[in-house]
Amino acid sequence: MRVPILTYHAVNIAGNDYATNDHVAFAADLHLINDLGLRIVPVHWVVDQLLGAANRDLARCVAITCDDGSDFDYFDLDHPSHGPQRSLFNCMADFIAERGAQAQPDLHLTSFVIASPQAREHLDRNCLVGRSWMSERWWRPALESGRMAIENHSWDHNHAAIALPGIDGMQRGIFHEVDNRERADAEIAVATHYIDAVIAPQRTTLFCYPYSHVNDYLRLEYFPLVENVHGMRAAFGAGAAPLMTNSDRWNLPRYICGWHWKSPEQLRAILDERF
Ligand SMILES: [Zn+2]
């Protein structure tokens, strides 16, 4: 198994071309992946395979994810500086309309969302434009579309832009600070319970580390030892490698748009080299 996992941030909108706008890159990349003869599959299929819970044919497959969970994932929105933005969800709908449902029958996007409503409110005001674009009202319809999964990106990202004290006195802006049981339960298990309540009867089973900050406490102790508490089956970092059978279940690698690739040529190089 060699499955590259690609990651986008729908809030990355600094212009309207590939390098400055993850919506533009995402739409272009769906076609590029398709034209390279690769199949897009749900990331939970890849985790099933890794854990021996399924045995699907994942040859020449790619999975796609997006982080931070703003309304830009699902709704078309009019950005105050850069105009109308097609949501990632609707970019997939456009792809299907153009190429036919059979081109990518398993097309699917996993969105890692921030659980805390208060944290989302702060981020909406401080990082977006204060129009309630960090809502949870799209989580359920996204799931019900069968094209998206909603997964766990922590309680509050321990985000630097949140004007509330960090849990257990944690310094904001660093997820490495989540280094004991109290902090881990507050950031991870509580997020699981909150998101699960919103999307019931579905539930979250995948985590991705805020800021791609992976520490040994979470990777070697918390995640493997108290699965019954946090409910997660795997956790994603930013290893910039394809996911393989021997990948670390609690630090699975992903490639991040705008970091590991900034142009279609660079993505093509990543994908060519991986198969
Ligand atoms: Zn994030």
Side-chain angles (χ1 to χ4, degrees):
M1 179 164 69
R2 292 177 72 83
V3 184
I5 315 290
L6 307 180
T7 298
Y8 299 83
H9 292 81
V11 295
N12 283 356
I13 302 169
N16 281 304
D17 61 13
Y18 190 103
T20 58
N21 184 314
D22 274 24
H23 299 250
V24 174
F26 182 81
D29 293 347
L30 294 180
H31 290 279
L32 173 64
I33 293 164
N34 193 65
D35 293 344
L36 290 172
L38 306 177
R39 267 191 311 137
I40 300 168
V41 297
V43 79
H44 61 85
W45 285 16
V46 186
V47 173
D48 288 346
Q49 201 89 348
L50 178 78
L51 302 182
N55 189 19
R56 298 182 178 96
D57 175 13
L58 296 185
R60 297 186 61 78
C61 284
V62 174
I64 50 181
T65 65
C66 59
D67 286 5
D68 301 334
S70 74
D71 288 18
F72 282 106
D73 285 7
Y74 189 75
F75 295 119
D76 295 346
L77 295 172
D78 200 2
H79 189 280
S81 319
H82 302 292
Q85 302 296 325
R86 196 73 165 143
S87 71
L88 302 185
F89 177 76
N90 282 326
C91 289
M92 293 195 291
D94 292 344
F95 174 88
I96 293 165
E98 201 174 318
R99 307 294 285 259
Q102 282 320 300
Q104 289 291 341
D106 303 309
L107 180 59
H108 189 272
L109 171 66
T110 293
S111 178
F112 288 96
V113 303
I114 296 167
S116 161
Q118 263 189 313
R120 283 188 272 112
E121 217 179 278
H122 280 260
L123 291 170
D124 179 66
R125 273 202 305 272
N126 298 327
C127 302
L128 297 178
V129 283
R131 295 192 189 165
S132 301
W133 285 348
M134 293 287 292
S135 78
E136 61 194 47
R137 64 201 165 101
W138 54 275
W139 294 359
R140 185 174 284 278
L143 269 173
E144 286 170 355
S145 76
R147 292 281 178 208
M148 287 184 77
I150 303 295
E151 297 289 357
N152 186 347
H153 195 34
S154 84
W155 177 247
D156 65 3
H157 210 286
N158 196 27
H159 203 288
I162 298 173
L164 295 169
I167 291 156
D168 184 33
M170 281 194 288
Q171 184 191 338
R172 287 289 191 189
I174 305 174
F175 208 77
H176 294 305
E177 288 271 291
V178 183
D179 59 359
N180 65 38
R181 180 63 190 271
E182 182 186 353
R183 294 173 175 191
D185 279 347
E187 282 289 358
I188 298 163
V190 174
T192 303
H193 297 141
Y194 182 88
I195 299 166
D196 285 359
V198 177
I199 65 173
Q202 306 244 29
R203 46 183 300 268
T204 56
T205 64
L206 304 176
F207 183 76
C208 90
Y209 292 93
Y211 304 112
S212 305
H213 288 175
V214 182
N215 68 30
D216 284 350
Y217 171 72
L218 293 177
R219 186 174 67 87
L220 300 174
E221 291 184 46
Y222 185 72
F223 278 123
L225 298 180
V226 291
E227 281 181 57
N228 59 323
V229 172
H230 56 69
M232 298 293 100
R233 302 163 68 218
F236 289 85
L243 196 155
M244 293 164 57
T245 313
N246 62 355
S247 295
D248 179 352
R249 174 186 178 184
W250 302 115
N251 184 18
L252 293 172
R254 301 190 300 173
Y255 296 90
I256 297 175
C257 181
W259 176 9
H260 300 119
W261 84 93
K262 295 184 164 99
S263 66
E265 295 69 34
Q266 289 175 354
L267 177 59
R268 182 190 287 265
I270 286 172
L271 296 174
D272 277 349
E273 160 191 340
R274 296 308 160 193
F275 295 104

